[in-house]
Amino acid sequence: MTTTEESIPDLLKEFKKDTAVISSLSDSLRFDSAKMLITHGEPVLDHIFSQGIELDVHIMTLLHKITGENPVPKEHAGNVKEMRQDWQNWASQNHFL
């Protein structure tokens, strides 16, 4: 495991802590933890999906920023359960699951 991969779990914990008390999705990407996770890119996706990290709205925003994709159709917007499933489906189709 590389140093980058070793730091991802700690960065995700920090990101969860940073975003626990904010509601703004765009603000969640301003934290240093988010910036570092975005920089790490695909290894973050591997970790999120392989470790079963809970896909809350801030994590899904992070996934969108890392991948440049949004697998959530407009009719699912605001329905976190359906949004999670859309991201799980995306992960499966892109071989992260």
Side-chain angles (χ1 to χ4, degrees):
M1 189 178 276
T2 67
T3 304
T4 295
E5 291 168 333
E6 290 172 358
S7 68
I8 290 172
D10 291 334
L11 286 169
L12 282 167
K13 286 178 190 173
E14 185 177 340
F15 180 72
K16 289 287 226 175
K17 182 180 171 187
D18 290 341
T19 59
V21 295
I22 65 167
S23 59
S24 169
L25 298 178
S26 61
D27 284 351
S28 69
L29 299 177
R30 294 183 183 167
F31 290 102
D32 289 341
S33 58
K35 292 174 185 175
M36 292 178 74
L37 287 164
I38 291 164
T39 299
H40 289 324
E42 192 168 305
V44 175
L45 304 177
D46 290 331
H47 185 80
I48 288 172
F49 292 112
S50 70
Q51 298 301 310
I53 303 294
E54 179 186 350
L55 301 181
D56 64 28
V57 292
H58 297 293
I59 291 289
M60 288 186 272
T61 300
L62 183 67
L63 292 173
H64 171 67
K65 186 68 173 179
I66 291 170
T67 65
E69 296 189 37
N70 182 6
V72 178
K74 288 182 182 184
E75 61 269 15
H76 292 180
N79 184 324
V80 176
K81 183 178 178 180
E82 288 183 346
M83 293 167 64
R84 280 187 190 121
Q85 188 58 55
D86 294 329
W87 274 108
Q88 292 288 347
N89 292 343
W90 178 92
S92 180
Q93 292 166 359
N94 288 277
H95 311 290
F96 288 100
L97 289 177

